[in-house]
Amino acid sequence: MEWVVGAAVFVGGLAMTAGLVMIVTGRALPGVRRSGARPRLHGSGALLMGMSLVVHGLIDFDVLPDASWEVRFIGGNVLLFAGLALIAASQLLPDPTGDRNRRRVGSRGA
């Protein structure tokens, strides 16, 4: 069972690293570049989602002091869904530059 928690901590660390890179540089990773108009907002969401996974893993490995299951459940879900909401907002909000003539993925024409 420890390998499952360790894998979640590893994936959370990768998400946090990707989020920090997007926040600091202002550039999105290649998989997000075409669909995301706001890389810093997307990076903040990835950072929160990764933090949720890492904190749960650190509590399970007894690195952090143990909290009640209610605090872990509600706190972890708040971080996870707040990150998801930020990532969704980065995808759904209009282009901050106001450039409506930008080519969309799969569009034809000049």
Side-chain angles (χ1 to χ4, degrees):
M1 186 65 169
E2 291 85 16
W3 67 272
V4 174
V5 177
V9 170
F10 178 72
V11 169
L14 287 178
M16 288 175 61
T17 304
L20 284 175
V21 167
M22 285 189 262
I23 290 171
V24 171
T25 64
R27 296 192 59 175
L29 297 174
V32 181
R33 216 171 267 156
R34 292 185 181 197
S35 61
R38 298 170 185 245
R40 286 194 168 96
L41 193 59
H42 189 94
S44 300
L47 187 64
L48 285 176
M49 290 179 74
M51 193 180 308
S52 169
L53 293 172
V54 169
V55 167
H56 274 289
L58 292 178
I59 289 174
D60 285 341
F61 283 135
D62 293 328
V63 175
L64 294 177
D66 198 17
S68 67
W69 73 269
E70 295 94 353
V71 171
R72 287 188 293 171
F73 178 76
I74 293 172
N77 283 337
V78 165
L79 284 174
L80 195 65
F81 288 122
L84 186 63
L86 287 177
I87 289 176
S90 76
Q91 304 282 325
L92 298 175
L93 289 175
D95 189 9
T97 61
D99 186 13
R100 295 176 187 250
N101 295 325
R102 186 174 58 138
R103 285 186 66 176
R104 299 280 180 200
V105 176
S107 66
R108 293 188 171 197

